[in-house]
Amino acid sequence: MALSQQTIDIIKSTVPVLEVHRVDITTAFYKNMFNNHPELLNIFNQANQSKGQQQQALANMVYAAAKNIDQLENVLPAVIPVAHKHRGLGVKKEHYPIVGKHLLGAIKEVLGDAATDEIIGAWAEAYNVIADVFIGIEADMYKDSEEQLGGWEGLEELEVFDKVKESDVITSFYLKRKDGKALPEFNPGQYITIRVQIPGETYFHNRQYSLSCAPGNDYFRISVKREAEQQPFGVVSNYLHDHVHVGDTIEASVPAGDFTLNIDETAPVALISGGVGLTPMMSMLETLVKRESNRAITFIHSARHEEVHAFHKDAISMIDKLENGQLIYGYTNPVNPNGDRDFTGYLNKEILQQNLTKDTVCYVCGPVPFLKNIIPMLSELGIAENNIRFEFFGPAIELEAEPAV
């Protein structure tokens, strides 16, 4: 359904107000929606709500939609990763009217008399068009996940058949289907949604963890960092570390996500990670090794210190099998200041400049401060925007350059 010119003009007129009040609107939206539909807390990540990340991410999307309401195709690149997350979490068509009702209500609540009937009507029309885009894309994703070989609908119980401590803070869980059937294929870099019921907690908890192994195995592997436990943060990671053991089961989705390695490219590639951001990179690196790639491959990892650096020996072993691979790593706070490494302190522009070329395809993953530090550096080195590919752990927010902390 196309929007009328009148609706487009009205939505455009609200852009300055949204720029100021967008987070207030999305904060009111989530508060009111969860008050009226607490069952949706079984879907949404409560930690992201507490941090304000989900509110900020939605605010950015609403603002972008308003600015581009006459060219919604400009917003589509942001729709795809969100649709992947929705499919993994089980967001369905019937949820969109609930969201629409409370979003319009929040606009009216925050803007008061300035939100005239004409403005609310225009936003209702625009929301329905945008919602239909999401619903259509997600319907195709649900269909693909259910109909692919080894796929399933919703969540499936997977059994933990091995549990391996990779560092002081990261533990891997190896998962297979309880019925012994094959697991679906996935693209290196994708993640699965897991859902756990923690004793004493009212609602289910959902988290999305990158698969840290290559496709083609008869198992999935997720590698989970233990976060500091302070409600509601760290609840799931600590539960997995402390209470999920070999023989237990975890509900999981079919793999999702669009931060994936393009295995058909031949240009040099750099896998750049900070902290637990190395998990999708391990999947990408293992895939390149399995395919005996002759691309120039640079694996760059930054961690706080040696004890939290996971998969170090695995990365060395895989790099050694490549025809044209190199491993670069460093620590911001090394335990052994005189140890053998490529850099000490934060990963910087000089190191990137020494090891990358302008035609290098860069995959970047890590905490938000890491991304805010690295991505502008890559741009400054002349690497094209379409060759800087990055993944957020959590809701996508706007990236503005700032020092990594």
Short mmCIF file of all heavy atoms in Angstrom, two decimals, residues 206-238:
data_model
loop_
_atom_site.label_atom_id
_atom_site.label_comp_id
_atom_site.label_asym_id
_atom_site.label_seq_id
_atom_site.Cartn_x
_atom_site.Cartn_y
_atom_site.Cartn_z
N ASN A 206 15.35 -14.86 26.81
CA ASN A 206 15.88 -15.15 25.48
C ASN A 206 17.21 -14.43 25.29
O ASN A 206 17.36 -13.28 25.67
CB ASN A 206 14.91 -14.66 24.40
CG ASN A 206 13.57 -15.36 24.46
OD1 ASN A 206 13.43 -16.47 23.99
ND2 ASN A 206 12.58 -14.69 25.04
N ARG A 207 18.16 -15.14 24.71
CA ARG A 207 19.42 -14.51 24.34
C ARG A 207 19.84 -15.06 22.98
O ARG A 207 19.50 -16.19 22.61
CB ARG A 207 20.53 -14.80 25.36
CG ARG A 207 20.32 -14.20 26.72
CD ARG A 207 20.41 -12.68 26.71
NE ARG A 207 20.35 -12.12 28.06
CZ ARG A 207 19.23 -11.83 28.70
NH1 ARG A 207 18.05 -12.04 28.11
NH2 ARG A 207 19.27 -11.30 29.91
N GLN A 208 20.61 -14.26 22.26
CA GLN A 208 21.08 -14.68 20.94
C GLN A 208 22.60 -14.79 20.98
O GLN A 208 23.29 -13.83 21.33
CB GLN A 208 20.59 -13.70 19.87
CG GLN A 208 19.07 -13.81 19.72
CD GLN A 208 18.42 -12.76 18.86
OE1 GLN A 208 18.85 -11.62 18.85
NE2 GLN A 208 17.36 -13.13 18.15
N TYR A 209 23.10 -15.99 20.67
CA TYR A 209 24.53 -16.27 20.74
C TYR A 209 25.03 -16.73 19.37
O TYR A 209 24.43 -17.60 18.72
CB TYR A 209 24.83 -17.36 21.77
CG TYR A 209 24.57 -16.94 23.20
CD1 TYR A 209 23.51 -17.49 23.92
CD2 TYR A 209 25.38 -16.00 23.83
CE1 TYR A 209 23.27 -17.10 25.24
CE2 TYR A 209 25.15 -15.61 25.14
CZ TYR A 209 24.10 -16.16 25.84
OH TYR A 209 23.85 -15.78 27.14
N SER A 210 26.15 -16.14 18.95
CA SER A 210 26.76 -16.53 17.68
C SER A 210 27.20 -17.98 17.73
O SER A 210 27.65 -18.48 18.77
CB SER A 210 27.99 -15.66 17.38
OG SER A 210 27.63 -14.31 17.23
N LEU A 211 27.08 -18.65 16.60
CA LEU A 211 27.64 -19.99 16.47
C LEU A 211 29.14 -19.84 16.25
O LEU A 211 29.58 -19.12 15.35
CB LEU A 211 26.97 -20.73 15.31
CG LEU A 211 25.50 -21.06 15.58
CD1 LEU A 211 24.75 -21.32 14.29
CD2 LEU A 211 25.37 -22.24 16.52
N SER A 212 29.92 -20.52 17.08
CA SER A 212 31.38 -20.32 17.05
C SER A 212 32.11 -21.44 16.33
O SER A 212 33.33 -21.54 16.42
CB SER A 212 31.91 -20.18 18.48
OG SER A 212 31.63 -21.33 19.26
N CYS A 213 31.37 -22.26 15.61
CA CYS A 213 31.98 -23.32 14.79
C CYS A 213 31.53 -23.15 13.35
O CYS A 213 30.57 -22.44 13.07
CB CYS A 213 31.58 -24.70 15.30
SG CYS A 213 29.79 -25.00 15.27
N ALA A 214 32.23 -23.82 12.46
CA ALA A 214 31.87 -23.75 11.05
C ALA A 214 30.63 -24.58 10.77
O ALA A 214 30.32 -25.53 11.51
CB ALA A 214 33.03 -24.24 10.19
N PRO A 215 29.90 -24.28 9.69
CA PRO A 215 28.82 -25.16 9.26
C PRO A 215 29.39 -26.50 8.81
O PRO A 215 30.59 -26.63 8.56
CB PRO A 215 28.19 -24.42 8.08
CG PRO A 215 28.92 -23.15 7.91
CD PRO A 215 30.07 -23.12 8.84
N GLY A 216 28.50 -27.48 8.70
CA GLY A 216 28.92 -28.78 8.18
C GLY A 216 29.22 -29.81 9.24
O GLY A 216 29.51 -30.96 8.93
N ASN A 217 29.17 -29.41 10.52
CA ASN A 217 29.34 -30.37 11.61
C ASN A 217 27.97 -30.96 11.97
O ASN A 217 26.94 -30.48 11.52
CB ASN A 217 29.94 -29.68 12.84
CG ASN A 217 31.32 -29.10 12.56
OD1 ASN A 217 32.21 -29.80 12.10
ND2 ASN A 217 31.49 -27.81 12.82
N ASP A 218 27.98 -31.97 12.83
CA ASP A 218 26.70 -32.54 13.27
C ASP A 218 26.28 -31.93 14.61
O ASP A 218 25.53 -32.53 15.36
CB ASP A 218 26.78 -34.06 13.37
CG ASP A 218 27.86 -34.53 14.34
OD1 ASP A 218 28.62 -33.68 14.86
OD2 ASP A 218 27.95 -35.76 14.58
N TYR A 219 26.80 -30.73 14.89
CA TYR A 219 26.47 -30.06 16.15
C TYR A 219 26.52 -28.54 15.95
O TYR A 219 27.08 -28.04 14.97
CB TYR A 219 27.45 -30.46 17.26
CG TYR A 219 28.91 -30.13 16.95
CD1 TYR A 219 29.43 -28.86 17.19
CD2 TYR A 219 29.75 -31.10 16.40
CE1 TYR A 219 30.75 -28.57 16.89
CE2 TYR A 219 31.07 -30.81 16.10
CZ TYR A 219 31.57 -29.54 16.35
OH TYR A 219 32.87 -29.23 16.04
N PHE A 220 25.93 -27.83 16.90
CA PHE A 220 26.10 -26.39 17.03
C PHE A 220 27.04 -26.16 18.21
O PHE A 220 27.05 -26.94 19.16
CB PHE A 220 24.78 -25.67 17.33
CG PHE A 220 23.81 -25.61 16.19
CD1 PHE A 220 22.45 -25.38 16.44
CD2 PHE A 220 24.21 -25.75 14.87
CE1 PHE A 220 21.53 -25.30 15.41
CE2 PHE A 220 23.31 -25.68 13.83
CZ PHE A 220 21.97 -25.45 14.10
N ARG A 221 27.78 -25.06 18.16
CA ARG A 221 28.55 -24.65 19.33
C ARG A 221 28.31 -23.17 19.58
O ARG A 221 28.43 -22.35 18.66
CB ARG A 221 30.06 -24.89 19.12
CG ARG A 221 30.90 -24.51 20.36
CD ARG A 221 32.37 -24.77 20.15
NE ARG A 221 32.98 -23.81 19.23
CZ ARG A 221 34.26 -23.84 18.86
NH1 ARG A 221 35.06 -24.80 19.32
NH2 ARG A 221 34.75 -22.93 18.04
N ILE A 222 27.93 -22.83 20.81
CA ILE A 222 27.87 -21.44 21.23
C ILE A 222 28.91 -21.25 22.33
O ILE A 222 29.14 -22.16 23.13
CB ILE A 222 26.47 -21.01 21.73
CG1 ILE A 222 26.00 -21.89 22.90
CG2 ILE A 222 25.47 -21.02 20.59
CD1 ILE A 222 24.71 -21.40 23.55
N SER A 223 29.54 -20.08 22.36
CA SER A 223 30.58 -19.80 23.34
C SER A 223 30.16 -18.55 24.10
O SER A 223 30.09 -17.47 23.53
CB SER A 223 31.92 -19.63 22.65
OG SER A 223 32.24 -20.80 21.91
N VAL A 224 29.87 -18.73 25.37
CA VAL A 224 29.16 -17.72 26.17
C VAL A 224 30.09 -17.07 27.17
O VAL A 224 30.76 -17.75 27.95
CB VAL A 224 27.97 -18.38 26.90
CG1 VAL A 224 27.22 -17.34 27.74
CG2 VAL A 224 27.03 -19.05 25.90
N LYS A 225 30.13 -15.75 27.15
CA LYS A 225 30.90 -15.01 28.14
C LYS A 225 30.07 -14.84 29.42
O LYS A 225 28.91 -14.45 29.36
CB LYS A 225 31.29 -13.64 27.60
CG LYS A 225 32.05 -12.77 28.60
CD LYS A 225 32.24 -11.35 28.09
CE LYS A 225 32.88 -10.47 29.15
NZ LYS A 225 32.95 -9.06 28.74
N ARG A 226 30.70 -15.13 30.56
CA ARG A 226 30.03 -14.90 31.83
C ARG A 226 30.06 -13.40 32.13
O ARG A 226 31.12 -12.80 32.29
CB ARG A 226 30.74 -15.64 32.97
CG ARG A 226 30.04 -15.48 34.33
CD ARG A 226 30.95 -15.92 35.46
NE ARG A 226 31.13 -17.36 35.52
CZ ARG A 226 30.35 -18.20 36.19
NH1 ARG A 226 29.29 -17.73 36.84
NH2 ARG A 226 30.62 -19.49 36.21
N GLU A 227 28.87 -12.80 32.15
CA GLU A 227 28.77 -11.38 32.44
C GLU A 227 28.63 -11.16 33.95
O GLU A 227 28.22 -12.07 34.69
CB GLU A 227 27.55 -10.77 31.72
CG GLU A 227 27.56 -10.95 30.22
CD GLU A 227 28.60 -10.11 29.51
OE1 GLU A 227 29.21 -9.23 30.17
OE2 GLU A 227 28.82 -10.32 28.30
N ALA A 228 28.98 -9.97 34.40
CA ALA A 228 28.81 -9.65 35.81
C ALA A 228 27.33 -9.77 36.17
O ALA A 228 26.47 -9.23 35.48
CB ALA A 228 29.30 -8.23 36.08
N GLU A 229 27.04 -10.50 37.23
CA GLU A 229 25.64 -10.78 37.58
C GLU A 229 25.08 -9.66 38.45
O GLU A 229 25.44 -9.49 39.60
CB GLU A 229 25.52 -12.12 38.31
CG GLU A 229 24.08 -12.54 38.49
CD GLU A 229 23.95 -14.00 38.93
OE1 GLU A 229 24.96 -14.56 39.35
OE2 GLU A 229 22.84 -14.53 38.86
N GLN A 230 24.21 -8.90 37.85
CA GLN A 230 23.51 -7.81 38.53
C GLN A 230 22.19 -7.63 37.81
O GLN A 230 22.14 -7.19 36.68
CB GLN A 230 24.33 -6.52 38.48
CG GLN A 230 23.69 -5.37 39.23
CD GLN A 230 24.54 -4.11 39.14
OE1 GLN A 230 25.60 -4.10 38.55
NE2 GLN A 230 24.05 -3.03 39.73
N GLN A 231 21.12 -8.01 38.45
CA GLN A 231 19.81 -8.06 37.80
C GLN A 231 19.56 -6.80 36.96
O GLN A 231 19.78 -5.69 37.44
CB GLN A 231 18.71 -8.17 38.87
CG GLN A 231 18.59 -9.53 39.49
CD GLN A 231 17.84 -10.50 38.60
OE1 GLN A 231 17.37 -10.14 37.53
NE2 GLN A 231 17.74 -11.74 39.02
N PRO A 232 19.02 -6.97 35.72
CA PRO A 232 18.78 -8.25 35.04
C PRO A 232 19.97 -8.68 34.18
O PRO A 232 19.84 -9.55 33.35
CB PRO A 232 17.58 -7.93 34.16
CG PRO A 232 17.83 -6.50 33.76
CD PRO A 232 18.52 -5.84 34.94
N PHE A 233 21.14 -8.05 34.38
CA PHE A 233 22.29 -8.34 33.53
C PHE A 233 22.99 -9.61 34.02
O PHE A 233 23.11 -9.86 35.21
CB PHE A 233 23.27 -7.16 33.55
CG PHE A 233 22.61 -5.83 33.40
CD1 PHE A 233 22.69 -4.87 34.40
CD2 PHE A 233 21.88 -5.54 32.27
CE1 PHE A 233 22.05 -3.65 34.26
CE2 PHE A 233 21.25 -4.32 32.12
CZ PHE A 233 21.33 -3.37 33.12
N GLY A 234 23.50 -10.36 33.09
CA GLY A 234 24.28 -11.53 33.44
C GLY A 234 23.48 -12.71 33.94
O GLY A 234 24.04 -13.75 34.27
N VAL A 235 22.16 -12.58 33.99
CA VAL A 235 21.32 -13.65 34.54
C VAL A 235 21.45 -14.91 33.70
O VAL A 235 21.65 -16.01 34.23
CB VAL A 235 19.85 -13.20 34.62
CG1 VAL A 235 18.96 -14.38 35.00
CG2 VAL A 235 19.68 -12.09 35.64
N VAL A 236 21.36 -14.76 32.39
CA VAL A 236 21.37 -15.94 31.52
C VAL A 236 22.77 -16.53 31.42
O VAL A 236 22.96 -17.75 31.54
CB VAL A 236 20.83 -15.60 30.12
CG1 VAL A 236 20.99 -16.78 29.17
CG2 VAL A 236 19.36 -15.19 30.22
N SER A 237 23.78 -15.70 31.22
CA SER A 237 25.14 -16.23 31.07
C SER A 237 25.59 -16.96 32.34
O SER A 237 26.21 -18.03 32.26
CB SER A 237 26.12 -15.12 30.71
OG SER A 237 26.27 -14.19 31.76
N ASN A 238 25.27 -16.41 33.50
CA ASN A 238 25.65 -17.08 34.75
C ASN A 238 24.86 -18.37 34.95
O ASN A 238 25.41 -19.36 35.44
CB ASN A 238 25.45 -16.14 35.94
CG ASN A 238 26.58 -15.15 36.08
OD1 ASN A 238 27.59 -15.43 36.73
ND2 ASN A 238 26.44 -13.99 35.46
#
